[in-house]
Amino acid sequence: VEPFGEERVRPATPDEIAILIDALDGSIPTIDIGQMRDFPELPARLRSKGFSRHTFMCGQSGSGKTYTTGVLFERLLSGATLPIVVLDPNSDHVHLDALADPNNHRPDAERYRAVSGDVATVRARGYDGTTTLCIDFSDLDARVRAALLQLHPIDDLDLFAALTQITDNLAEPYSVADVATAASANEQTAAIARRIANLGLAEWGLWRQDGEESVAAAGIRGTRFVVIDTGSLATPAERTVVALAILSNRWRARRDRQPMLLAIDEAHNVLPAVTDDPLLQSAVDVGSLIAGEGRKFGIHLFVASQRPGKVHPNVLSQCDNLILMRMNGAQDIDELEAAFSHVPPRLLHEALSFGLGQALFAGPLAPLPLVAQVGTRLSPEGGADVPTTWTAPPSIR
């Protein structure tokens, strides 16, 4: 028939849409993430290979972002073999190694049960984890060690040089206490020991103890899925240092060309758009390197945050995939429209009215952009909201 003119048009039927999607995917491996929002009888599928490109996930508080992230991790764990490391600042994903309902014997639950043993949790002492979350002072780059001691390479010229000399003469691995001991032995470097004591660095629970293994050096090697529970650490500085150690270690090992999905939840705490903190700036520098050049070495980022403007633009601009949940601000949508020009603006603006658990997927993981209702999470959610039982009126006695 003539393509234009007076021909009538009608919405496609679910059967016709299924034929189209099956033809587009062909034999390409996919994972089911839920159901299509407008056609709930059809599964919403993502291309597994699409996660070889950097992904940005965005959604306001209360949109279901944490729940959806857990569903994605579950589906990737049971539907692909890509190694995954998760920086988990709120302890949201520490229960991915178990089923929420042990009596669930549905096929999807049985598939997940078979792979859940591949999940390792790395947590601070006192928490129930597979491995202790600890590192050595020697795991950190020289400028990071100096930043921890609040030493500037120019403003603190002599002390910076002295710290470098001390650490160069210590056998690895060494601790911050080893540095303090070595510094105390010489009157000219004793100020470094006093600085360590005044800053309380030696008291951090992050440092490796005898019998433990540093997570930066070897603690995640050869493991299929690792959740690093930075939320179990006591201070923001410790959480930043762990993120730095993981990012730097992965970048140093880039020539191994071992594929890995490196997921950074609440990424504005690790890769902020603006910061005057030297430690965070170091994290931004390494993260920007990975975002710009890591893909050719098999390092694939999954970056999640509440707003696009909170994440450093050098990271955001390198993301090809977008996972977008409910948003409140039109300005945020405008920023996403500029960063993800391949996504139809109309779909981006729909996010202003998304319901709980609804998400837009676009990019290499969904070449035909789709809006999905995310499916059921199988594992327990670690960081669920505090219940609002206080809304009920008090009982009258």
Side-chain angles (χ1 to χ4, degrees):
V1 298
E2 293 293 331
F4 302 107
E6 300 302 322
E7 294 297 331
R8 294 181 177 276
V9 297
R10 61 168 173 80
T13 66
D15 289 342
E16 290 167 337
I17 292 175
I19 291 171
L20 173 62
I21 293 174
D22 289 342
L24 287 172
D25 289 339
S27 59
I28 298 173
T30 61
I31 57 172
D32 286 0
I33 191 62
Q35 298 78 38
M36 300 184 84
R37 180 195 60 179
D38 299 325
F39 300 94
E41 61 268 50
L42 297 180
R45 297 197 295 252
L46 305 178
R47 295 187 180 184
S48 304
K49 188 177 180 180
F51 287 94
S52 65
R53 310 301 287 253
H54 301 320
T55 301
F56 178 62
M57 182 177 188
C58 190
Q60 71 176 50
S61 179
S63 64
K65 180 165 58 69
T66 298
Y67 187 94
T68 298
T69 305
V71 173
L72 274 168
F73 291 158
E74 290 176 355
R75 303 307 192 261
L76 284 171
L77 183 60
S78 61
T81 57
L82 177 64
I84 300 173
V85 174
V86 180
L87 292 177
D88 184 6
N90 294 321
S91 309
D92 289 325
H93 307 296
V94 295
H95 301 306
L96 281 168
D97 59 349
L99 287 170
D101 179 8
N103 297 317
N104 185 349
H105 296 287
R106 296 196 317 266
D108 58 341
E110 290 298 332
R111 283 194 302 272
Y112 191 74
R113 196 191 310 274
V115 298
S116 60
D118 295 337
V119 178
T121 54
V122 184
R123 312 187 74 183
R125 294 180 204 91
Y127 292 85
D128 184 18
T130 309
T131 307
T132 300
L133 178 49
C134 61
I135 61 172
D136 285 299
F137 196 60
S138 53
D139 291 327
L140 306 175
D141 293 337
R143 65 172 181 166
V144 176
R145 295 194 293 264
L148 274 177
L149 270 64
Q150 299 181 17
L151 293 175
H152 189 273
I154 303 301
D155 297 341
D156 305 295
L157 194 66
D158 293 336
L159 285 179
F160 189 96
L163 176 63
T164 301
Q165 182 178 7
I166 290 171
T167 54
D168 285 347
N169 291 330
L170 288 173
E172 294 188 7
Y174 55 80
S175 67
V176 67
D178 294 332
V179 174
T181 300
S184 300
N186 189 319
E187 185 176 344
Q188 294 179 333
T189 59
I192 291 178
R194 292 195 295 272
R195 186 175 285 256
I196 290 173
N198 290 344
L199 292 171
L201 292 180
E203 282 71 51
W204 279 12
L206 173 62
W207 306 123
R208 183 183 65 83
Q209 297 180 0
D210 290 342
E212 296 174 343
E213 189 174 37
S214 165
V215 66
I220 61 175
R221 187 177 300 146
T223 306
R224 165 79 170 86
F225 195 110
V226 181
V227 178
I228 300 177
D229 181 17
T230 57
S232 64
L233 295 170
T235 65
E238 288 177 88
R239 294 192 281 273
T240 300
V241 167
V242 166
L244 251 174
I246 297 300
L247 290 169
S248 299
N249 185 62
R250 184 60 258 171
W251 181 245
R252 284 194 296 268
R254 64 190 182 278
R255 299 198 183 279
D256 294 344
R257 293 184 178 271
Q258 294 296 320
M260 173 184 290
L261 182 68
L262 183 54
I264 308 175
D265 202 3
E266 304 294 349
H268 50 275
N269 293 321
V270 179
L271 306 169
V274 179
T275 181
D276 56 4
D277 183 335
L279 288 176
L280 279 175
Q281 186 58 55
S282 296
V284 168
D285 293 342
V286 180
S288 297
L289 273 175
I290 293 175
E293 304 178 36
R295 186 179 155 270
K296 62 187 175 186
F297 297 107
I299 311 174
H300 314 304
L301 288 176
F302 179 98
V303 179
S305 186
Q306 295 175 1
R307 300 181 61 192
K310 297 175 72 172
V311 176
H312 199 277
N314 288 347
V315 175
L316 183 64
S317 63
Q318 297 298 321
C319 293
D320 294 316
N321 292 316
L322 174 65
I323 302 174
L324 179 61
M325 306 194 73
R326 186 175 69 242
M327 302 293 291
N328 272 344
Q331 180 180 344
D332 293 329
I333 299 297
D334 292 340
E335 291 180 15
L336 290 169
E337 188 175 339
F340 297 92
S341 57
H342 58 283
V343 184
R346 180 185 62 80
L347 288 178
L348 294 174
H349 283 271
E350 282 193 29
L352 296 171
S353 59
F354 278 173
L356 181 64
Q358 293 180 350
L360 165 65
F361 297 86
L365 56 76
L368 189 65
L370 64 91
V371 177
Q373 181 69 49
V374 175
T376 303
R377 182 168 175 167
L378 298 171
S379 60
E381 186 175 355
D385 292 339
V386 176
T388 55
T389 52
W390 49 265
T391 58
S395 57
I396 298 176
R397 298 177 181 176

